[in-house]
Amino acid sequence: MKKHSLEQRSVEWHKLRLGKLGGSECIGITTPARMKTTLNKKLAETLTGLAEEVFVNEAMQYGIDWENFVSNRYSSENFVNVENVGAITNDDYSLAILSPDGLVGELGAIEIKCPQPKGFVEMSLLMINGKKGLDKIIASHRPQIIWYFMMMPNITYVDYVIYNDGFSEAKCDYRAIRINRIDIINDIKKMIDSYFIYEKKYNESLNQILDK
């Protein structure tokens, strides 16, 4: 595992990610149909040196704007230091990359989500009423959490934090739960298996295009 000390969303950060599968994209290898689309996208990035332009809508910008505030609040409430890292790579997964929202010591990490109000209510109720582990997180976010554990074999937990400032007056604007590695071992194994299927298909397709 290697830490890359660069600013997220910088030119250097985008360049490092080019052609690699990130945490927010790893849901794209969880089904055959998704994997085909993801494969084509990443092959195009590799061969052209250009990434697809991503439109940042208002909801996405809201999350970006509040991320640092939420990280500081998490740090203050838990009496820990959150280390900001541009990206994580791992030689075992050459086509993968992770841009964590923060690292907590040697054993932990934090993933921050700042959804819109309706989504915040949905996510809050799931965190309260979900049975255990990943069941407390909406399905679309689960692969990203698993990706943390795959890319960083040393960590034992990821704290999943949600925030929306519109709920501040009601004093329910912030919520956090801990996902422990030991509770999702099988999910991590499945993700690793999916990754290597993806890597094999990627290399085979790249060689075909380059006629090797």
Side-chain angles (χ1 to χ4, degrees), residues 16-140:
L16 181 64
R17 288 173 57 89
L18 200 64
K20 290 185 172 65
L21 191 64
S24 61
E25 302 168 304
C26 68
I27 192 173
I29 64 171
T30 56
T31 69
R34 286 173 174 166
M35 187 177 292
K36 182 178 180 180
T37 300
T38 301
L39 181 67
N40 292 339
K41 174 185 175 182
K42 292 303 173 181
L43 283 169
E45 287 183 9
T46 298
L47 291 165
T48 64
L50 299 171
E52 282 188 8
E53 185 174 355
V54 177
F55 173 70
V56 178
N57 59 31
E58 186 175 346
M60 293 168 65
Q61 189 61 51
Y62 176 84
I64 294 170
D65 292 342
W66 282 98
E67 185 177 302
N68 190 58
F69 170 85
V70 179
S71 179
N72 289 335
R73 178 166 174 177
Y74 169 89
S75 178
S76 176
E77 293 196 2
N78 292 279
F79 304 101
V80 296
N81 292 320
V82 175
E83 179 185 359
N84 294 317
V85 177
I88 298 287
T89 54
N90 187 320
D91 288 342
D92 291 335
Y93 314 110
S94 60
L95 299 178
I97 194 167
L98 171 69
S99 299
D101 288 339
L103 303 182
V104 186
E106 296 296 323
L107 300 179
I110 177 176
E111 173 62 24
I112 298 168
K113 298 295 183 185
C114 298
Q116 293 299 290
K118 181 180 177 181
F120 183 83
V121 169
E122 177 188 1
M123 293 162 70
S124 294
L125 289 173
L126 190 57
M127 291 170 78
I128 295 167
N129 298 314
K131 292 181 180 179
K132 184 180 180 181
L134 293 176
D135 291 333
K136 290 180 171 290
I137 297 175
I138 61 173
S140 60

